[in-house]
Amino acid sequence: MSGPRTSSDPTDIRSLAVTTDDLVTALEANQRSSQTAVLRVTPPFYGRMRARIHLAGGEASDYGEPSPLHLSSETFLAETAPHYPETHETRPEPYDVETHHERHTAAVSEWRTSVREHLRDRISIPTASGAHEVEVKYLG
């Protein structure tokens, strides 16, 4: 009996498993940092794959072809998703540093919870033959 079929073709992927905490962390990191966090899918490709958080640009040179897929965390968000709270949106009047910090921390915590309700069940991944739609399963 042979093992699972593996491929260098990402169109073989039918579903992606993503840890919800990884996705929310990547979304927040992209708002707070100049580095880009992505969800990476590493070959060989199977029907069911796992996408894990990864900092773009930190690839090891030992990957041949095909290279890993780097998926923007925003790809997983529905259009109805709330935006990440900006510091100017939580600024109190009259201004107080401690109050501002508390308000912003509370707003970010609320965002982390509410954004989880606005995730896509299906996404398109880029391939050499064009966009390929896959199902997404969220873990946690």
Side-chain angles (χ1 to χ4, degrees), residues 13-137:
I13 301 171
R14 294 183 315 276
S15 67
L16 288 176
V18 179
T19 302
T20 308
D21 285 345
D22 279 358
L23 178 58
V24 172
T25 298
L27 289 164
E28 185 173 3
N30 290 337
Q31 293 296 317
R32 300 178 68 168
S33 172
S34 62
Q35 292 183 302
T36 302
V38 295
L39 283 294
R40 180 174 73 170
V41 182
T42 57
F45 300 116
Y46 300 87
R48 292 182 284 187
M49 296 292 297
R50 181 87 183 256
R52 299 179 190 275
I53 191 169
H54 177 75
L55 284 178
E59 288 302 314
S61 61
D62 58 349
Y63 281 106
E65 284 298 320
S67 57
L69 298 175
H70 283 185
L71 305 174
S72 166
S73 54
E74 289 77 12
T75 301
F76 295 85
L77 288 181
E79 291 178 16
T80 59
H83 73 278
Y84 185 81
E86 300 290 337
T87 54
H88 71 274
E89 297 170 329
T90 57
R91 181 183 174 91
E93 291 298 334
Y95 187 76
D96 175 73
V97 172
E98 188 172 318
T99 302
H100 192 190
H101 176 74
E102 289 170 1
R103 287 177 71 175
H104 190 70
T105 300
V108 169
S109 180
E110 182 180 318
W111 173 84
R112 285 181 187 139
T113 300
S114 66
V115 77
R116 294 166 187 263
E117 302 298 319
H118 300 272
L119 303 178
R120 295 179 187 272
D121 293 331
R122 300 187 71 75
I123 64 165
S124 291
I125 60 172
T127 72
S129 59
H132 173 69
E133 193 170 290
V134 298
E135 185 175 12
V136 181
K137 303 287 187 179

